[in-house]
Amino acid sequence: MLPSFFLAHGAPLLAVQNNEYTDFLRELPRHLPRPRAIVLFSAHWLADEQRIGGADTYETIHDFSGFPDELYDIKYPAKGSMETAAEVLALLEKEGVSCRIDKERGLDHGAWVVLKLLYPQADIPVVAMSVNPRLVPEEHYRIGRALSSLRQKDVLIIGSGGTVHNFRKISWNRKTPDEWALEFDSWLNDHLQQWDLPALFEYEKWAPYATDAVPPQGNEHFIPLLYAMGAAADVKQAWLMYRGYAYGSLSLCCWRFG
């Protein structure tokens, strides 16, 4: 059975960088069975109704500005999988989640930055998934949990975002991590390993520096963690596989579930 993962996608520049975190992502698939498909929740696809990617071949969306030209030349022409998309649709409808298949949307950088590092040949079908910041944490977890059976069918479930992602707090020239970011992620890791859902669902109340790490009205990068965690609700095991930071506080963390 495949695990599920939460992966930080950092800034778009990650796609063309060579550092400890990109080395980790490139190495990660060598320790996993080859998936038949990838279901990926991206922080950059926001929708009030759950959307399920159903493109035949995804266009590469360059949803950022002000970066080097080489980023805009990147293409990640992943194929879709209507078979897997239909499975996702059926599981979510069974759970009572309002959802529909979207055959038009491409892959935003929250998806293709990590996929390009994991599977650079774009040779594994992808089902892109939206996230809904308006839902409470329990609902994000419930949506992920509804898909947990896919892991037994060789489907890799990924949440792509960032636990500490607040551009107002970034120090572009800082080489060492900010202490407050470390404290937030340490609290998070402790409660993930304990599978402490009551605390995690109320992280805004209990976690140190929660509003610095996850700014109010800006939780879209944090919530993919809850989808990925829910996808392993049948096992309830969490491991922090990598933790690093860019620009002082932009987290580059990976958690494995299941």
Side-chain angles (χ1 to χ4, degrees):
M1 180 189 301
L2 282 166
S4 58
F5 288 94
F6 173 79
L7 300 174
H9 61 251
L13 282 170
L14 193 72
V16 294
Q17 291 175 332
N18 290 295
N19 54 42
E20 189 177 80
Y21 184 53
T22 60
D23 289 345
F24 166 80
L25 291 177
R26 291 185 181 103
E27 182 69 20
L28 183 60
R30 300 182 185 181
H31 304 283
L32 300 172
R34 183 176 174 83
R36 71 172 173 89
I38 299 169
V39 171
L40 187 145
F41 291 88
S42 171
H44 290 278
W45 187 3
L46 307 183
D48 289 340
E49 180 186 43
Q50 181 64 57
R51 305 288 181 87
I52 304 163
D56 292 330
T57 301
Y58 289 95
E59 293 186 5
T60 305
I61 303 173
H62 300 91
D63 51 336
F64 44 78
S65 61
F67 287 92
D69 290 344
E70 61 181 321
L71 280 178
Y72 302 94
D73 294 332
I74 292 176
K75 304 294 182 186
Y76 192 82
K79 301 291 186 182
S81 170
M82 279 304 300
E83 176 186 359
T84 307
E87 291 179 88
V88 170
L89 181 72
L91 289 169
L92 292 179
E93 288 182 335
K94 183 178 179 180
E95 186 66 21
V97 176
S98 178
C99 56
R100 66 181 178 88
I101 292 177
D102 185 327
K103 296 184 178 182
E104 303 300 323
R105 184 180 167 88
L107 293 180
D108 56 64
H109 82 271
W112 61 258
V113 166
V114 293
L115 291 175
K116 182 177 181 295
L117 291 164
L118 294 170
Y119 299 103
Q121 301 304 314
D123 54 356
I124 296 177
V126 174
V127 175
M129 301 286 288
S130 67
V131 301
N132 184 353
R134 297 177 183 272
L135 298 178
V136 296
E138 292 92 333
E139 287 297 298
H140 301 130
Y141 183 86
R142 183 172 74 95
I143 289 170
R145 185 182 63 197
L147 305 182
S148 62
S149 63
L150 293 176
R151 294 173 33 246
Q152 301 178 20
K153 300 179 179 180
D154 301 321
V155 174
L156 179 61
I157 299 175
I158 296 173
S160 172
T163 53
V164 183
H165 193 281
N166 186 344
F167 276 102
R168 293 186 177 181
K169 295 289 185 178
I170 279 178
S171 301
W172 292 102
N173 296 317
R174 187 175 173 90
K175 302 297 183 182
T176 56
D178 292 324
E179 187 62 33
W180 65 265
L182 291 170
E183 287 193 39
F184 176 82
D185 274 340
S186 293
W187 180 93
L188 186 61
N189 185 54
D190 289 345
H191 290 275
L192 286 171
Q193 290 190 5
Q194 297 166 26
W195 215 268
D196 185 356
L197 295 181
L200 290 166
F201 289 165
E202 292 192 289
Y203 73 91
E204 293 173 301
K205 178 179 180 181
W206 299 113
Y209 303 103
T211 57
D212 292 317
V214 186
Q217 309 304 318
N219 67 346
E220 71 280 349
H221 278 78
F222 180 81
I223 58 178
L225 174 77
L226 299 171
Y227 293 97
M229 185 185 186
D234 54 333
V235 180
K236 296 184 175 62
Q237 293 177 331
W239 292 271
L240 177 61
M241 300 190 68
Y242 185 92
R243 183 165 79 171
Y245 298 86
Y247 319 120
S249 63
L250 186 65
S251 66
L252 300 173
C253 296
C254 168
W255 274 275
R256 169 180 170 150
F257 302 106

